[in-house]
Amino acid sequence: MTIARETLLHVLRRRWRVLLVVFLCGVALVVVSKAYDVQGILDEIQGIAESEAPPGEEQIGGMMRGAGVLFLMGVLGFLFQVGTLMVAVLLPGGIVANERRSGAVMLWAQHPMPLTRFYLHRYLGIQGVNLAAHVLFALVVIVAVLPGNDPASGVPNQLVMTDPGRFAQVLLTGALACAVSYAITALGLRRAAFFAIAYVFASSIAWSIVDPAFGFGAPVPDWVKDLLPFLIFPDNPIDDFVAGFASGTDWNWGATGMVVYHFALWTGAALLGLRRLERRPVML
């Protein structure tokens, strides 16, 4: 049995509960979105809010029920979104840093395969589980009836994606988050999942501060705005990249290059850490 396949099976045995919980949150989101006309509820609440006449008791009751449905969908959507990220960063765990600290890496050093190649094979197994899980998560996103899935929903065009676009977005985000977590542990840092999550969330905050589209355009120097996309998690470039899947839309080669750059950046960081590990496998 190959190292990658053995790692894949090992990760499944250790993390299947996390995968199942996140998937069930997604299923619940699909059920609720199919059971209620979410866009209709939003339109009804907006219509009542914009009406000059005071709402009647029946309208108030409808608004309360609609607000409950929206709250439930918001909670399920939040848990599902955070859960998909947690899956991506938890699967690598501390596979390299923990084994180096415990000395278990010396067992793998006896293997005829160099440590760098050995751990890269294990990374392939981890990424295989991660991508398979995110294929299921992406299907959930496509099947769920959410505001913004339909171009006629009144949601701004830049937030409306085609099914291939949403599918690619989930896969790319999950694959890159997994790569970040693995690179951190390969560099020898423990609690890689924590640092990876902190990095992704800090990146989202950074985008919201400097991007005028969010309405928080902070007065920062232009060189910071130019440099920032090369350092933080590429949420915006991924969105711009997958927008090219829509018909009649020009392909964004700048976003494509930025996504490729970040994969190369974190792969290079992982290789740097593994090379260092191969030269000095024991912490002194």
Side-chain angles (χ1 to χ4, degrees):
M1 185 177 291
T2 64
I3 296 171
R5 184 182 175 189
E6 180 63 30
T7 303
L8 186 151
L9 296 175
H10 176 69
V11 170
L12 278 176
R13 287 193 296 267
R14 290 179 61 243
R15 300 296 187 187
W16 69 268
R17 293 179 182 84
V18 177
L19 299 174
L20 180 61
V21 168
V22 177
F23 181 69
L24 290 178
C25 284
V27 171
L29 181 63
V30 170
V31 171
V32 174
S33 71
K34 294 286 187 181
Y36 297 94
D37 181 9
V38 180
Q39 188 60 46
I41 292 173
L42 288 172
D43 293 340
E44 182 181 359
I45 292 177
Q46 183 177 3
I48 295 174
E50 293 176 353
S51 176
E52 295 181 359
E57 293 185 3
E58 185 177 347
Q59 289 180 316
I60 293 176
M63 287 182 64
M64 295 295 292
R65 289 190 296 272
V69 172
L70 294 178
F71 176 76
L72 177 60
M73 285 200 64
V75 171
L76 290 173
F78 174 78
L79 291 176
F80 181 68
Q81 185 176 10
V82 173
T84 58
L85 176 62
M86 291 293 293
V87 167
V89 300
L90 282 175
L91 289 180
I95 184 172
V96 181
N98 290 347
E99 290 182 358
R100 187 185 186 204
R101 188 176 184 86
S102 67
V105 68
M106 293 305 298
L107 297 174
W108 311 130
Q110 317 278 331
H111 199 279
M113 182 182 292
L115 276 176
T116 298
R117 192 187 306 173
F118 174 80
Y119 274 107
L120 284 178
H121 279 227
R122 297 182 71 182
Y123 170 64
L124 290 177
I126 294 170
Q127 193 66 275
V129 175
N130 181 56
L131 289 176
H134 278 79
V135 166
L136 293 177
F137 299 154
L139 292 176
V140 167
V141 172
I142 291 174
V143 172
V145 182
L146 305 174
N149 282 11
D150 183 359
S153 62
V155 177
N157 289 334
Q158 64 269 26
L159 298 181
V160 177
M161 294 185 186
T162 61
D163 286 348
R166 289 195 295 273
F167 190 88
Q169 183 192 41
V170 174
L171 254 63
L172 283 174
T173 303
L176 185 54
C178 181
V180 170
S181 182
Y182 186 81
I184 292 173
T185 186
L187 289 170
L189 296 176
R190 303 184 69 193
R191 299 178 179 85
F194 169 79
F195 287 111
I197 292 174
Y199 169 70
V200 173
F201 278 106
S203 297
S204 297
I205 295 173
W207 281 118
S208 66
I209 291 175
V210 303
D211 192 344
F214 286 90
F216 299 106
V220 296
D222 290 338
W223 67 268
V224 174
K225 293 183 179 180
D226 294 336
L227 181 62
L228 203 60
F230 293 92
L231 302 178
I232 62 179
F233 194 83
D235 281 323
N236 285 17
I238 288 176
D239 290 344
D240 294 338
F241 171 78
V242 301
F245 287 90
S247 60
T249 304
D250 294 333
W251 193 261
N252 192 326
W253 291 105
T256 303
M258 187 61 66
V259 172
V260 172
Y261 159 79
H262 278 275
F263 272 107
L265 172 68
W266 291 104
T267 301
L271 285 172
L272 181 66
L274 294 177
R275 290 289 186 186
R276 177 171 169 265
L277 175 69
E278 192 171 304
R279 289 194 300 268
R280 196 178 67 178
V282 177
M283 296 184 66
L284 300 176

